[in-house]
Amino acid sequence: MEYIRVTNENIDKEHICCAISNNNDIQVSSKKAWLQERFDEGLIFLKSVERGKCFVEYIPAENAWNPIVADDFMYINCLWVAGSFKGHGYSTDLLNACIEDSKIKGKKGVCILSSKKKKPFLADPKFLKYKGFTVCDEADNGIQLWCLLFDSNASLPKFKECAKHPHIDEMGYVLYYTCQCPFNAKYVPIVEEVAKEKGVQFKAIHLQSKEQAQSAPTPITTYALFYNGKYLTNEQMNDKRFLKLLAK
């Protein structure tokens, strides 16, 4: 498998893997705009040359859109291999590329979000453990911060206090999200409309800066849904999933 690094110079023509290829689609344009603003902050987006869901996206932890403290670490936004690409060692290829690049840049390690049991849109904990990662912190909702140390004397990454105990004071459904996930541009408005039609209290909070994301009340900022103050899920909702949730 060959890989290509997406940059400001080639992003217009490159397929960004987990969204459809039409650049006029809001999912693609929102994600690409988000990426373009992050490249100068050190974000790396490495993908397979084949069309499909096979890529790694990482950034210096101080610029991560998550409430973590991880001085001199690299943070992996997403390591994603799906469909027919699974089982061919591509996850290892991409992770190794991130690790080697992080070492070259003098980082003390890399970190990534996961959980005790595999959750949607999070790294597989079994894979992380197999690759030498260990849990360095855990929030009350079971979301874990895993790390791979290059320097045994380095301070372990941890969640900020605001994310350690995910809870908010607002009632009804409250969604925190960013443009890091391309699907949000399409589906957040759809869920908002469903909530309006059903007379359900729903508030979407679009985190639009690194500072906002780093002070969010949730370890996961790409998509975090709360209900009556309690964290529910990081799984993106479409209209059918949200209606199913309302029916419970």
Side-chain angles (χ1 to χ4, degrees), residues 29-30 38 66 92 108 123 128 140 144 152 159 182 223 247:
S29 60
S30 65
R38 307 281 82 75
N66 299 81
T92 296
K108 296 178 179 178
L128 295 179
D140 290 347
Q144 298 173 329
S152 60
F159 290 124
Y223 198 99

PDB file of all heavy atoms in Angstrom, residues 29-30 38 66 92 108 123 128 140 144 152 159 182 223 247:
ATOM      1  N   SER A  29     -16.616  19.681   2.312  1.00  0.00           N
ATOM      2  CA  SER A  29     -16.105  21.052   2.393  1.00  0.00           C
ATOM      3  C   SER A  29     -15.849  21.486   3.836  1.00  0.00           C
ATOM      4  O   SER A  29     -14.860  22.168   4.121  1.00  0.00           O
ATOM      5  CB  SER A  29     -17.067  22.024   1.709  1.00  0.00           C
ATOM      6  OG  SER A  29     -18.349  22.001   2.312  1.00  0.00           O
ATOM      7  N   SER A  30     -16.709  21.075   4.772  1.00  0.00           N
ATOM      8  CA  SER A  30     -16.519  21.463   6.170  1.00  0.00           C
ATOM      9  C   SER A  30     -15.284  20.800   6.763  1.00  0.00           C
ATOM     10  O   SER A  30     -14.514  21.428   7.483  1.00  0.00           O
ATOM     11  CB  SER A  30     -17.761  21.114   6.997  1.00  0.00           C
ATOM     12  OG  SER A  30     -17.959  19.705   7.058  1.00  0.00           O
ATOM     13  N   ARG A  38      -5.814  23.666  10.365  1.00  0.00           N
ATOM     14  CA  ARG A  38      -4.986  22.939  11.340  1.00  0.00           C
ATOM     15  C   ARG A  38      -3.583  22.628  10.821  1.00  0.00           C
ATOM     16  O   ARG A  38      -2.680  22.354  11.614  1.00  0.00           O
ATOM     17  CB  ARG A  38      -5.645  21.597  11.732  1.00  0.00           C
ATOM     18  CG  ARG A  38      -7.096  21.688  12.210  1.00  0.00           C
ATOM     19  CD  ARG A  38      -7.210  22.140  13.633  1.00  0.00           C
ATOM     20  NE  ARG A  38      -7.109  23.576  13.751  1.00  0.00           N
ATOM     21  CZ  ARG A  38      -8.095  24.427  13.411  1.00  0.00           C
ATOM     22  NH1 ARG A  38      -9.220  23.999  12.888  1.00  0.00           N
ATOM     23  NH2 ARG A  38      -7.938  25.727  13.581  1.00  0.00           N
ATOM     24  N   ASN A  66      -9.071  18.714  22.210  1.00  0.00           N
ATOM     25  CA  ASN A  66      -9.551  17.887  23.319  1.00  0.00           C
ATOM     26  C   ASN A  66      -9.008  18.447  24.622  1.00  0.00           C
ATOM     27  O   ASN A  66      -7.887  18.983  24.647  1.00  0.00           O
ATOM     28  CB  ASN A  66      -9.089  16.438  23.170  1.00  0.00           C
ATOM     29  CG  ASN A  66      -9.611  15.779  21.920  1.00  0.00           C
ATOM     30  OD1 ASN A  66      -9.046  15.970  20.842  1.00  0.00           O
ATOM     31  ND2 ASN A  66     -10.674  15.011  22.050  1.00  0.00           N
ATOM     32  N   THR A  92      -1.167  -0.794  11.242  1.00  0.00           N
ATOM     33  CA  THR A  92       0.206  -0.801  11.747  1.00  0.00           C
ATOM     34  C   THR A  92       1.085   0.143  10.938  1.00  0.00           C
ATOM     35  O   THR A  92       1.894   0.887  11.506  1.00  0.00           O
ATOM     36  CB  THR A  92       0.775  -2.227  11.703  1.00  0.00           C
ATOM     37  OG1 THR A  92       0.014  -3.063  12.592  1.00  0.00           O
ATOM     38  CG2 THR A  92       2.236  -2.248  12.136  1.00  0.00           C
ATOM     39  N   LYS A 108       7.720  13.060  23.306  1.00  0.00           N
ATOM     40  CA  LYS A 108       7.960  12.091  24.376  1.00  0.00           C
ATOM     41  C   LYS A 108       7.051  10.871  24.276  1.00  0.00           C
ATOM     42  O   LYS A 108       7.209   9.907  25.017  1.00  0.00           O
ATOM     43  CB  LYS A 108       7.771  12.768  25.729  1.00  0.00           C
ATOM     44  CG  LYS A 108       8.780  13.872  26.003  1.00  0.00           C
ATOM     45  CD  LYS A 108       8.528  14.543  27.342  1.00  0.00           C
ATOM     46  CE  LYS A 108       9.556  15.641  27.609  1.00  0.00           C
ATOM     47  NZ  LYS A 108       9.295  16.340  28.902  1.00  0.00           N
ATOM     48  N   ALA A 123     -10.576   4.352  18.870  1.00  0.00           N
ATOM     49  CA  ALA A 123      -9.572   3.323  18.598  1.00  0.00           C
ATOM     50  C   ALA A 123      -9.893   2.041  19.365  1.00  0.00           C
ATOM     51  O   ALA A 123     -10.419   2.079  20.484  1.00  0.00           O
ATOM     52  CB  ALA A 123      -8.183   3.834  18.979  1.00  0.00           C
ATOM     53  N   LEU A 128      -4.604  -1.210  20.543  1.00  0.00           N
ATOM     54  CA  LEU A 128      -3.678  -0.325  21.252  1.00  0.00           C
ATOM     55  C   LEU A 128      -2.813  -1.107  22.236  1.00  0.00           C
ATOM     56  O   LEU A 128      -1.607  -0.880  22.334  1.00  0.00           O
ATOM     57  CB  LEU A 128      -4.451   0.773  21.975  1.00  0.00           C
ATOM     58  CG  LEU A 128      -5.204   1.771  21.097  1.00  0.00           C
ATOM     59  CD1 LEU A 128      -5.943   2.776  21.966  1.00  0.00           C
ATOM     60  CD2 LEU A 128      -4.261   2.493  20.140  1.00  0.00           C
ATOM     61  N   ASP A 140     -15.055   9.661  34.029  1.00  0.00           N
ATOM     62  CA  ASP A 140     -16.152   8.960  34.691  1.00  0.00           C
ATOM     63  C   ASP A 140     -17.059   8.207  33.728  1.00  0.00           C
ATOM     64  O   ASP A 140     -17.741   7.253  34.131  1.00  0.00           O
ATOM     65  CB  ASP A 140     -17.008   9.954  35.487  1.00  0.00           C
ATOM     66  CG  ASP A 140     -16.277  10.507  36.708  1.00  0.00           C
ATOM     67  OD1 ASP A 140     -15.229   9.951  37.071  1.00  0.00           O
ATOM     68  OD2 ASP A 140     -16.770  11.498  37.286  1.00  0.00           O
ATOM     69  N   GLN A 144     -11.223   6.624  27.916  1.00  0.00           N
ATOM     70  CA  GLN A 144      -9.853   6.515  28.417  1.00  0.00           C
ATOM     71  C   GLN A 144      -8.861   7.242  27.507  1.00  0.00           C
ATOM     72  O   GLN A 144      -9.054   7.315  26.297  1.00  0.00           O
ATOM     73  CB  GLN A 144      -9.454   5.045  28.528  1.00  0.00           C
ATOM     74  CG  GLN A 144     -10.296   4.244  29.507  1.00  0.00           C
ATOM     75  CD  GLN A 144      -9.972   2.760  29.465  1.00  0.00           C
ATOM     76  OE1 GLN A 144      -9.584   2.220  28.421  1.00  0.00           O
ATOM     77  NE2 GLN A 144     -10.123   2.092  30.593  1.00  0.00           N
ATOM     78  N   SER A 152      10.660   7.253  29.266  1.00  0.00           N
ATOM     79  CA  SER A 152      10.102   6.687  30.499  1.00  0.00           C
ATOM     80  C   SER A 152       9.992   7.700  31.625  1.00  0.00           C
ATOM     81  O   SER A 152       9.267   7.475  32.607  1.00  0.00           O
ATOM     82  CB  SER A 152      10.957   5.500  30.963  1.00  0.00           C
ATOM     83  OG  SER A 152      12.295   5.911  31.211  1.00  0.00           O
ATOM     84  N   PHE A 159      -6.460  13.891  31.470  1.00  0.00           N
ATOM     85  CA  PHE A 159      -7.584  14.753  31.130  1.00  0.00           C
ATOM     86  C   PHE A 159      -7.576  15.981  32.016  1.00  0.00           C
ATOM     87  O   PHE A 159      -7.180  15.926  33.182  1.00  0.00           O
ATOM     88  CB  PHE A 159      -8.915  14.022  31.340  1.00  0.00           C
ATOM     89  CG  PHE A 159      -9.180  12.916  30.361  1.00  0.00           C
ATOM     90  CD1 PHE A 159      -9.443  11.626  30.796  1.00  0.00           C
ATOM     91  CD2 PHE A 159      -9.184  13.163  28.995  1.00  0.00           C
ATOM     92  CE1 PHE A 159      -9.699  10.608  29.901  1.00  0.00           C
ATOM     93  CE2 PHE A 159      -9.436  12.145  28.083  1.00  0.00           C
ATOM     94  CZ  PHE A 159      -9.694  10.866  28.543  1.00  0.00           C
ATOM     95  N   PRO A 182     -16.626  14.953   9.488  1.00  0.00           N
ATOM     96  CA  PRO A 182     -17.348  15.511   8.337  1.00  0.00           C
ATOM     97  C   PRO A 182     -18.854  15.279   8.385  1.00  0.00           C
ATOM     98  O   PRO A 182     -19.627  16.089   7.884  1.00  0.00           O
ATOM     99  CB  PRO A 182     -16.710  14.799   7.142  1.00  0.00           C
ATOM    100  CG  PRO A 182     -16.149  13.537   7.699  1.00  0.00           C
ATOM    101  CD  PRO A 182     -15.692  13.890   9.081  1.00  0.00           C
ATOM    102  N   TYR A 223     -18.025  14.758  18.921  1.00  0.00           N
ATOM    103  CA  TYR A 223     -19.458  14.531  19.068  1.00  0.00           C
ATOM    104  C   TYR A 223     -19.699  13.983  20.464  1.00  0.00           C
ATOM    105  O   TYR A 223     -19.267  12.887  20.792  1.00  0.00           O
ATOM    106  CB  TYR A 223     -19.940  13.513  18.030  1.00  0.00           C
ATOM    107  CG  TYR A 223     -21.434  13.508  17.800  1.00  0.00           C
ATOM    108  CD1 TYR A 223     -21.995  14.181  16.720  1.00  0.00           C
ATOM    109  CD2 TYR A 223     -22.291  12.815  18.655  1.00  0.00           C
ATOM    110  CE1 TYR A 223     -23.361  14.167  16.481  1.00  0.00           C
ATOM    111  CE2 TYR A 223     -23.661  12.797  18.430  1.00  0.00           C
ATOM    112  CZ  TYR A 223     -24.192  13.466  17.343  1.00  0.00           C
ATOM    113  OH  TYR A 223     -25.548  13.460  17.113  1.00  0.00           O
ATOM    114  N   ALA A 247     -37.389   7.180  21.612  1.00  0.00           N
ATOM    115  CA  ALA A 247     -38.424   6.183  21.911  1.00  0.00           C
ATOM    116  C   ALA A 247     -38.117   5.369  23.157  1.00  0.00           C
ATOM    117  O   ALA A 247     -38.990   4.651  23.673  1.00  0.00           O
ATOM    118  CB  ALA A 247     -38.603   5.265  20.716  1.00  0.00           C
TER     119      ALA A 247
END
